[in-house]
Amino acid sequence: MKKNNFTVDIDKETDEMIRSGMREQVELPDEVRYAKDLAYARVKEMEGNRMKDLETVSQSQNGSRHLHETKHERKHRVMGRKFRWTAWKSIGSVAAAAAVFSGVCVTNPAFAAKIPLVGHVFEQIGYSLGFQGDFEKYAVPVGETEPETIQILENTTAESLYTKTANGMTVTLSEQYCNETALYLSMILETEDVFPDTMLDQNGQPIIDLLGSSMRFDYNPDPIHPDAYLDGAMVDDHTYAGVLRVNLDETLRRPVIADNVWEEEKSETDGQIIYETITLPEQFSVQFIIPRVDGTLPESCMPEMPEDIRKEYEDAMAEAGLGTTDEAYASFSEEEQEIEGKLYNRMWNQFVQRYPEANRYPNQYENWWVDGPWEFDFDVIVDHSETISVKANQEENCDIGEIEVTKTPFELALHYDYNKAAEHDYFVAVLDADGELMGTGHQGGSTDEHPIVGHDVSEVTVYVCDYMEYMDELKGYYYSTDYEERAKEKTFKRLLDERCVYSEKVSF
């Protein structure tokens, strides 16, 4: 992972914090998800500049979802520097506390019954996914384009479906389900040797990434690079079954330049891109390229910060009259933070000059990987059978514009003018019919995509809140350890009712 600038190293620290938190069965805070997404998005950007800068993508697609640094992030940005290089000693022990999945198989009784895996991935793991549910009711084998042809062929071999092999790993595309919001693609990874030991995240999912993957849809010439973390489980020592969820929003927007816009007017847009909307066709073709599969090792063996480099940093800090304890960091002024940041950045530059191999992702200290490529072409049909969309704020009582709430069999998705949300610093939250906050999926996804499992979504309430207020104050109320006691006096719903900019109930 790249460490030659201060910002990327912030992501490194937060990523390690995420790993240490994997032992706790709690939902990841959005700001931690943000840091994780940011770190790996930048990693993908390094891979041949095949991804846009994440902030640009956020502004053009996700609006205010991830645009601001919270107080929590600012605190750790300042206080965590001493931890970042001293923690390398303890990363191994922290990671050792996390589970690894090699040799740990899925406990679904169906596997014991030897049901064929190809064509049955959704059946086996559908209820363990972040966006979980009865996928086999809707999914079709990859290559099939008619829902009524969903008949799993018990005698079908992997070779007769969509199977490619490279460097001892075979990737098979198994089933697909697509609605107006997302494409779900199940796949099987099989290795000739035993699957490498891999760290599990806080949801018990192996951290496996289809690094740098790209998808090109025939209705949009611009390829996308999906958030390629797989959501799945080990089947046996050689086989992993997972699902890739691909948000289709990005494919339904095409950048255009209006011919009737004068150059001086273009400059006034401050570089903003004008987009035209694409209608999702009933059926389309996809080109899917996986250049590499990688995973996170259960223990990091990153080299320690060399003593001479660390001492030079400490001496420079002392010369500037700055301490290196956590207490000192917490009290730094903005000017002192800037000074420390430059010194810390210089220390990292010296480190990567000495250990250039640590400046790559993946690297042998923290990852395993298998190089491809695996390339596939397949057709998809969109299933509208259980998709319902309802619009909120139609009278535009709030200047975020219309909010479209779409319910599918597995998720609730929000669509609104993200540029307006960014302009006014808004965050949109959703509570279910019971007043419970709706969260996000295991791997990838955004704060506008909510799994519906475990929620009564016959009626939901959409809240538009001030972004910083929500991140720094409101959300913490819901996730506080004593929320049950606090809720006796004031529920989270009541708190949002009092503090939100706008709210509206939506019924399905």
Short mmCIF file of all heavy atoms in Angstrom, two decimals, residues 208-255:
data_model
loop_
_atom_site.label_atom_id
_atom_site.label_comp_id
_atom_site.label_asym_id
_atom_site.label_seq_id
_atom_site.Cartn_x
_atom_site.Cartn_y
_atom_site.Cartn_z
N ILE A 208 -11.36 -10.77 0.60
CA ILE A 208 -10.87 -11.13 -0.74
C ILE A 208 -11.34 -10.07 -1.72
O ILE A 208 -12.49 -9.65 -1.70
CB ILE A 208 -11.39 -12.53 -1.17
CG1 ILE A 208 -10.84 -13.59 -0.22
CG2 ILE A 208 -11.00 -12.83 -2.60
CD1 ILE A 208 -11.33 -15.00 -0.56
N ASP A 209 -10.41 -9.65 -2.58
CA ASP A 209 -10.69 -8.55 -3.50
C ASP A 209 -10.33 -8.98 -4.92
O ASP A 209 -9.30 -9.60 -5.14
CB ASP A 209 -9.84 -7.34 -3.08
CG ASP A 209 -10.08 -6.12 -3.96
OD1 ASP A 209 -11.14 -6.05 -4.59
OD2 ASP A 209 -9.19 -5.25 -3.99
N LEU A 210 -11.20 -8.66 -5.86
CA LEU A 210 -10.89 -8.85 -7.28
C LEU A 210 -10.22 -7.56 -7.75
O LEU A 210 -10.84 -6.69 -8.36
CB LEU A 210 -12.18 -9.13 -8.07
CG LEU A 210 -13.03 -10.28 -7.55
CD1 LEU A 210 -14.25 -10.49 -8.45
CD2 LEU A 210 -12.22 -11.56 -7.43
N LEU A 211 -8.95 -7.44 -7.42
CA LEU A 211 -8.23 -6.18 -7.53
C LEU A 211 -8.23 -5.63 -8.95
O LEU A 211 -7.84 -6.30 -9.89
CB LEU A 211 -6.79 -6.36 -7.05
CG LEU A 211 -5.94 -5.10 -7.01
CD1 LEU A 211 -6.48 -4.14 -5.97
CD2 LEU A 211 -4.49 -5.44 -6.70
N GLY A 212 -8.66 -4.38 -9.09
CA GLY A 212 -8.61 -3.69 -10.38
C GLY A 212 -9.60 -4.21 -11.41
O GLY A 212 -9.45 -3.91 -12.60
N SER A 213 -10.61 -4.95 -10.98
CA SER A 213 -11.57 -5.50 -11.93
C SER A 213 -12.31 -4.40 -12.67
O SER A 213 -12.53 -3.31 -12.14
CB SER A 213 -12.58 -6.40 -11.21
OG SER A 213 -11.94 -7.52 -10.64
N SER A 214 -12.71 -4.70 -13.90
CA SER A 214 -13.46 -3.73 -14.69
C SER A 214 -14.65 -4.41 -15.33
O SER A 214 -14.61 -5.61 -15.62
CB SER A 214 -12.57 -3.09 -15.77
OG SER A 214 -12.17 -4.06 -16.72
N MET A 215 -15.71 -3.64 -15.54
CA MET A 215 -16.90 -4.13 -16.23
C MET A 215 -17.30 -3.10 -17.28
O MET A 215 -17.34 -1.89 -16.99
CB MET A 215 -18.06 -4.34 -15.26
CG MET A 215 -18.00 -5.61 -14.47
SD MET A 215 -19.52 -5.89 -13.51
CE MET A 215 -19.30 -7.61 -13.02
N ARG A 216 -17.60 -3.59 -18.45
CA ARG A 216 -18.07 -2.71 -19.52
C ARG A 216 -19.46 -3.19 -19.94
O ARG A 216 -19.65 -4.36 -20.29
CB ARG A 216 -17.12 -2.74 -20.71
CG ARG A 216 -17.48 -1.70 -21.80
CD ARG A 216 -16.54 -1.83 -23.00
NE ARG A 216 -15.17 -1.55 -22.63
CZ ARG A 216 -14.63 -0.34 -22.61
NH1 ARG A 216 -15.37 0.72 -22.91
NH2 ARG A 216 -13.37 -0.17 -22.27
N PHE A 217 -20.43 -2.28 -19.89
CA PHE A 217 -21.81 -2.59 -20.23
C PHE A 217 -22.10 -2.06 -21.63
O PHE A 217 -21.71 -0.93 -21.96
CB PHE A 217 -22.76 -1.97 -19.21
CG PHE A 217 -22.58 -2.51 -17.82
CD1 PHE A 217 -21.48 -2.14 -17.03
CD2 PHE A 217 -23.51 -3.38 -17.28
CE1 PHE A 217 -21.31 -2.64 -15.76
CE2 PHE A 217 -23.35 -3.89 -16.00
CZ PHE A 217 -22.25 -3.51 -15.24
N ASP A 218 -22.80 -2.83 -22.43
CA ASP A 218 -22.96 -2.45 -23.84
C ASP A 218 -23.78 -1.18 -24.02
O ASP A 218 -23.71 -0.54 -25.06
CB ASP A 218 -23.57 -3.59 -24.65
CG ASP A 218 -24.97 -4.01 -24.21
OD1 ASP A 218 -25.52 -3.38 -23.27
OD2 ASP A 218 -25.52 -4.95 -24.81
N TYR A 219 -24.51 -0.75 -22.99
CA TYR A 219 -25.31 0.48 -23.12
C TYR A 219 -24.53 1.72 -22.68
O TYR A 219 -25.04 2.84 -22.76
CB TYR A 219 -26.61 0.38 -22.33
CG TYR A 219 -26.45 0.07 -20.86
CD1 TYR A 219 -26.17 1.07 -19.94
CD2 TYR A 219 -26.60 -1.23 -20.38
CE1 TYR A 219 -26.04 0.80 -18.59
CE2 TYR A 219 -26.47 -1.52 -19.03
CZ TYR A 219 -26.19 -0.50 -18.15
OH TYR A 219 -26.06 -0.79 -16.81
N ASN A 220 -23.30 1.53 -22.20
CA ASN A 220 -22.47 2.66 -21.80
C ASN A 220 -21.02 2.34 -22.16
O ASN A 220 -20.46 1.36 -21.64
CB ASN A 220 -22.60 2.91 -20.30
CG ASN A 220 -21.91 4.20 -19.85
OD1 ASN A 220 -20.99 4.68 -20.49
ND2 ASN A 220 -22.37 4.75 -18.74
N PRO A 221 -20.38 3.11 -23.03
CA PRO A 221 -19.03 2.78 -23.48
C PRO A 221 -17.96 2.91 -22.41
O PRO A 221 -16.86 2.37 -22.57
CB PRO A 221 -18.79 3.79 -24.62
CG PRO A 221 -19.67 4.95 -24.29
CD PRO A 221 -20.89 4.35 -23.66
N ASP A 222 -18.25 3.63 -21.33
CA ASP A 222 -17.25 3.84 -20.29
C ASP A 222 -17.25 2.69 -19.30
O ASP A 222 -18.28 2.41 -18.67
CB ASP A 222 -17.51 5.15 -19.54
CG ASP A 222 -17.39 6.36 -20.45
OD1 ASP A 222 -16.53 6.33 -21.34
OD2 ASP A 222 -18.17 7.32 -20.27
N PRO A 223 -16.12 2.00 -19.11
CA PRO A 223 -16.08 0.90 -18.14
C PRO A 223 -16.16 1.42 -16.71
O PRO A 223 -15.83 2.57 -16.42
CB PRO A 223 -14.72 0.25 -18.41
CG PRO A 223 -13.87 1.36 -18.95
CD PRO A 223 -14.81 2.23 -19.75
N ILE A 224 -16.63 0.58 -15.82
CA ILE A 224 -16.63 0.91 -14.40
C ILE A 224 -15.70 -0.05 -13.67
O ILE A 224 -15.35 -1.12 -14.17
CB ILE A 224 -18.04 0.83 -13.78
CG1 ILE A 224 -18.54 -0.61 -13.75
CG2 ILE A 224 -19.01 1.73 -14.52
CD1 ILE A 224 -19.78 -0.81 -12.90
N HIS A 225 -15.28 0.38 -12.49
CA HIS A 225 -14.43 -0.46 -11.66
C HIS A 225 -15.19 -0.70 -10.35
O HIS A 225 -15.14 0.12 -9.44
CB HIS A 225 -13.09 0.21 -11.42
CG HIS A 225 -12.35 0.53 -12.68
ND1 HIS A 225 -11.53 -0.38 -13.31
CD2 HIS A 225 -12.34 1.63 -13.46
CE1 HIS A 225 -11.03 0.16 -14.40
NE2 HIS A 225 -11.53 1.38 -14.51
N PRO A 226 -15.93 -1.80 -10.28
CA PRO A 226 -16.81 -2.01 -9.12
C PRO A 226 -16.01 -2.18 -7.84
O PRO A 226 -14.83 -2.54 -7.85
CB PRO A 226 -17.56 -3.31 -9.49
CG PRO A 226 -16.65 -4.01 -10.45
CD PRO A 226 -15.97 -2.94 -11.22
N ASP A 227 -16.69 -1.90 -6.73
CA ASP A 227 -16.10 -2.17 -5.42
C ASP A 227 -16.02 -3.68 -5.29
O ASP A 227 -16.98 -4.34 -4.93
CB ASP A 227 -16.99 -1.58 -4.32
CG ASP A 227 -16.34 -1.64 -2.95
OD1 ASP A 227 -15.24 -2.22 -2.85
OD2 ASP A 227 -16.91 -1.10 -2.00
N ALA A 228 -14.84 -4.23 -5.61
CA ALA A 228 -14.75 -5.66 -5.93
C ALA A 228 -14.44 -6.55 -4.74
O ALA A 228 -13.73 -7.54 -4.88
CB ALA A 228 -13.71 -5.87 -7.03
N TYR A 229 -14.97 -6.22 -3.57
CA TYR A 229 -14.83 -7.13 -2.44
C TYR A 229 -15.91 -8.21 -2.55
O TYR A 229 -17.08 -7.91 -2.72
CB TYR A 229 -14.98 -6.38 -1.12
CG TYR A 229 -13.79 -5.52 -0.80
CD1 TYR A 229 -13.82 -4.16 -1.09
CD2 TYR A 229 -12.65 -6.07 -0.23
CE1 TYR A 229 -12.71 -3.37 -0.82
CE2 TYR A 229 -11.54 -5.28 0.03
CZ TYR A 229 -11.58 -3.93 -0.26
OH TYR A 229 -10.50 -3.14 0.00
N LEU A 230 -15.49 -9.45 -2.42
CA LEU A 230 -16.44 -10.55 -2.51
C LEU A 230 -17.07 -10.80 -1.14
O LEU A 230 -16.41 -10.72 -0.11
CB LEU A 230 -15.75 -11.82 -2.99
CG LEU A 230 -15.32 -11.83 -4.46
CD1 LEU A 230 -14.60 -13.14 -4.78
CD2 LEU A 230 -16.53 -11.67 -5.37
N ASP A 231 -18.33 -11.13 -1.15
CA ASP A 231 -19.10 -11.45 0.05
C ASP A 231 -19.41 -12.94 -0.03
O ASP A 231 -20.17 -13.36 -0.90
CB ASP A 231 -20.38 -10.62 0.08
CG ASP A 231 -21.05 -10.64 1.44
OD1 ASP A 231 -20.58 -11.37 2.32
OD2 ASP A 231 -22.04 -9.91 1.60
N GLY A 232 -18.81 -13.75 0.83
CA GLY A 232 -19.04 -15.18 0.70
C GLY A 232 -18.43 -15.99 1.82
O GLY A 232 -18.25 -15.50 2.93
N ALA A 233 -18.07 -17.25 1.52
CA ALA A 233 -17.58 -18.16 2.55
C ALA A 233 -16.79 -19.29 1.89
O ALA A 233 -16.94 -19.57 0.70
CB ALA A 233 -18.75 -18.74 3.35
N MET A 234 -15.92 -19.93 2.68
CA MET A 234 -15.20 -21.09 2.21
C MET A 234 -16.13 -22.30 2.19
O MET A 234 -16.94 -22.50 3.08
CB MET A 234 -14.01 -21.38 3.11
CG MET A 234 -12.80 -20.48 2.89
SD MET A 234 -12.15 -20.56 1.19
CE MET A 234 -11.58 -22.26 1.14
N VAL A 235 -15.96 -23.10 1.14
CA VAL A 235 -16.71 -24.36 1.03
C VAL A 235 -15.85 -25.51 1.52
O VAL A 235 -16.31 -26.38 2.26
CB VAL A 235 -17.14 -24.60 -0.43
CG1 VAL A 235 -17.87 -25.92 -0.57
CG2 VAL A 235 -18.00 -23.45 -0.92
N ASP A 236 -14.59 -25.53 1.10
CA ASP A 236 -13.62 -26.50 1.59
C ASP A 236 -12.24 -25.87 1.46
O ASP A 236 -12.12 -24.67 1.18
CB ASP A 236 -13.72 -27.84 0.84
CG ASP A 236 -13.57 -27.68 -0.67
OD1 ASP A 236 -12.70 -26.89 -1.12
OD2 ASP A 236 -14.32 -28.34 -1.41
N ASP A 237 -11.20 -26.66 1.67
CA ASP A 237 -9.84 -26.12 1.69
C ASP A 237 -9.40 -25.54 0.35
O ASP A 237 -8.41 -24.80 0.29
CB ASP A 237 -8.84 -27.21 2.09
CG ASP A 237 -8.93 -27.55 3.57
OD1 ASP A 237 -9.60 -26.79 4.30
OD2 ASP A 237 -8.35 -28.57 3.99
N HIS A 238 -10.11 -25.86 -0.71
CA HIS A 238 -9.70 -25.42 -2.05
C HIS A 238 -10.74 -24.52 -2.72
O HIS A 238 -10.48 -24.04 -3.83
CB HIS A 238 -9.45 -26.64 -2.96
CG HIS A 238 -8.34 -27.52 -2.48
ND1 HIS A 238 -7.04 -27.40 -2.92
CD2 HIS A 238 -8.34 -28.54 -1.59
CE1 HIS A 238 -6.29 -28.31 -2.33
NE2 HIS A 238 -7.05 -29.02 -1.52
N THR A 239 -11.89 -24.30 -2.09
CA THR A 239 -13.00 -23.67 -2.80
C THR A 239 -13.63 -22.55 -1.97
O THR A 239 -13.98 -22.76 -0.81
CB THR A 239 -14.09 -24.72 -3.13
OG1 THR A 239 -13.49 -25.85 -3.74
CG2 THR A 239 -15.13 -24.13 -4.07
N TYR A 240 -13.77 -21.42 -2.61
CA TYR A 240 -14.45 -20.28 -2.01
C TYR A 240 -15.64 -19.89 -2.90
O TYR A 240 -15.50 -19.78 -4.12
CB TYR A 240 -13.49 -19.08 -1.90
CG TYR A 240 -14.15 -17.80 -1.45
CD1 TYR A 240 -14.38 -17.55 -0.11
CD2 TYR A 240 -14.56 -16.85 -2.38
CE1 TYR A 240 -14.98 -16.37 0.30
CE2 TYR A 240 -15.16 -15.67 -1.98
CZ TYR A 240 -15.38 -15.44 -0.64
OH TYR A 240 -15.98 -14.28 -0.25
N ALA A 241 -16.79 -19.70 -2.29
CA ALA A 241 -17.99 -19.27 -3.01
C ALA A 241 -18.36 -17.87 -2.55
O ALA A 241 -18.48 -17.62 -1.35
CB ALA A 241 -19.15 -20.23 -2.76
N GLY A 242 -18.52 -16.96 -3.51
CA GLY A 242 -18.81 -15.59 -3.13
C GLY A 242 -19.74 -14.90 -4.10
O GLY A 242 -20.06 -15.43 -5.17
N VAL A 243 -20.16 -13.70 -3.73
CA VAL A 243 -21.07 -12.91 -4.55
C VAL A 243 -20.50 -11.51 -4.69
O VAL A 243 -20.06 -10.90 -3.71
CB VAL A 243 -22.48 -12.85 -3.92
CG1 VAL A 243 -23.37 -11.87 -4.69
CG2 VAL A 243 -23.11 -14.24 -3.90
N LEU A 244 -20.49 -11.02 -5.92
CA LEU A 244 -20.07 -9.66 -6.21
C LEU A 244 -21.32 -8.83 -6.46
O LEU A 244 -22.13 -9.16 -7.33
CB LEU A 244 -19.16 -9.64 -7.45
CG LEU A 244 -18.70 -8.26 -7.93
CD1 LEU A 244 -17.80 -7.61 -6.88
CD2 LEU A 244 -17.98 -8.37 -9.26
N ARG A 245 -21.48 -7.77 -5.70
CA ARG A 245 -22.61 -6.86 -5.89
C ARG A 245 -22.12 -5.64 -6.64
O ARG A 245 -21.20 -4.95 -6.20
CB ARG A 245 -23.23 -6.45 -4.55
CG ARG A 245 -24.42 -5.50 -4.69
CD ARG A 245 -24.91 -5.04 -3.33
NE ARG A 245 -26.05 -4.15 -3.47
CZ ARG A 245 -25.96 -2.84 -3.72
NH1 ARG A 245 -24.78 -2.28 -3.85
NH2 ARG A 245 -27.06 -2.11 -3.84
N VAL A 246 -22.73 -5.34 -7.78
CA VAL A 246 -22.32 -4.24 -8.63
C VAL A 246 -23.43 -3.19 -8.65
O VAL A 246 -24.53 -3.45 -9.16
CB VAL A 246 -22.01 -4.70 -10.06
CG1 VAL A 246 -21.53 -3.53 -10.91
CG2 VAL A 246 -20.99 -5.82 -10.05
N ASN A 247 -23.15 -2.03 -8.07
CA ASN A 247 -24.11 -0.93 -8.11
C ASN A 247 -24.20 -0.41 -9.55
O ASN A 247 -23.18 -0.08 -10.16
CB ASN A 247 -23.65 0.18 -7.17
CG ASN A 247 -24.67 1.27 -7.00
OD1 ASN A 247 -25.28 1.73 -7.97
ND2 ASN A 247 -24.87 1.73 -5.79
N LEU A 248 -25.41 -0.32 -10.07
CA LEU A 248 -25.58 0.09 -11.47
C LEU A 248 -25.68 1.59 -11.67
O LEU A 248 -25.73 2.06 -12.81
CB LEU A 248 -26.83 -0.59 -12.05
CG LEU A 248 -26.78 -2.12 -12.13
CD1 LEU A 248 -28.10 -2.65 -12.68
CD2 LEU A 248 -25.61 -2.58 -12.98
N ASP A 249 -25.69 2.37 -10.59
CA ASP A 249 -25.84 3.82 -10.72
C ASP A 249 -24.80 4.42 -11.66
O ASP A 249 -25.12 5.26 -12.50
CB ASP A 249 -25.74 4.49 -9.35
CG ASP A 249 -27.02 4.39 -8.56
OD1 ASP A 249 -28.00 3.84 -9.09
OD2 ASP A 249 -27.05 4.85 -7.40
N GLU A 250 -23.56 3.98 -11.48
CA GLU A 250 -22.48 4.57 -12.27
C GLU A 250 -22.65 4.28 -13.75
O GLU A 250 -22.25 5.08 -14.61
CB GLU A 250 -21.13 4.04 -11.79
CG GLU A 250 -19.94 4.73 -12.44
CD GLU A 250 -18.62 4.25 -11.87
OE1 GLU A 250 -18.63 3.50 -10.88
OE2 GLU A 250 -17.58 4.64 -12.42
N THR A 251 -23.23 3.15 -14.08
CA THR A 251 -23.41 2.80 -15.49
C THR A 251 -24.53 3.58 -16.15
O THR A 251 -24.63 3.61 -17.38
CB THR A 251 -23.72 1.30 -15.64
OG1 THR A 251 -25.06 1.03 -15.20
CG2 THR A 251 -22.75 0.45 -14.85
N LEU A 252 -25.37 4.22 -15.35
CA LEU A 252 -26.53 4.94 -15.88
C LEU A 252 -26.28 6.43 -16.00
O LEU A 252 -27.20 7.22 -16.11
CB LEU A 252 -27.76 4.67 -14.99
CG LEU A 252 -28.14 3.21 -14.84
CD1 LEU A 252 -29.33 3.05 -13.92
CD2 LEU A 252 -28.45 2.58 -16.20
N ARG A 253 -25.01 6.82 -15.98
CA ARG A 253 -24.62 8.22 -16.11
C ARG A 253 -23.47 8.29 -17.12
O ARG A 253 -22.51 7.53 -17.03
CB ARG A 253 -24.15 8.78 -14.77
CG ARG A 253 -25.21 8.77 -13.71
CD ARG A 253 -24.59 8.88 -12.33
NE ARG A 253 -23.84 10.11 -12.14
CZ ARG A 253 -24.37 11.27 -11.78
NH1 ARG A 253 -25.68 11.36 -11.60
NH2 ARG A 253 -23.63 12.34 -11.60
N ARG A 254 -23.60 9.21 -18.06
CA ARG A 254 -22.56 9.38 -19.07
C ARG A 254 -22.14 10.84 -19.11
O ARG A 254 -22.98 11.73 -19.26
CB ARG A 254 -23.08 8.94 -20.44
CG ARG A 254 -22.05 9.10 -21.57
CD ARG A 254 -22.68 8.80 -22.92
NE ARG A 254 -23.15 7.44 -22.98
CZ ARG A 254 -24.27 7.06 -23.59
NH1 ARG A 254 -25.06 7.98 -24.14
NH2 ARG A 254 -24.62 5.80 -23.63
N PRO A 255 -20.85 11.13 -18.94
CA PRO A 255 -20.40 12.52 -18.98
C PRO A 255 -20.53 13.10 -20.38
O PRO A 255 -20.18 12.45 -21.38
CB PRO A 255 -18.94 12.43 -18.55
CG PRO A 255 -18.53 11.04 -18.88
CD PRO A 255 -19.75 10.19 -18.71
#
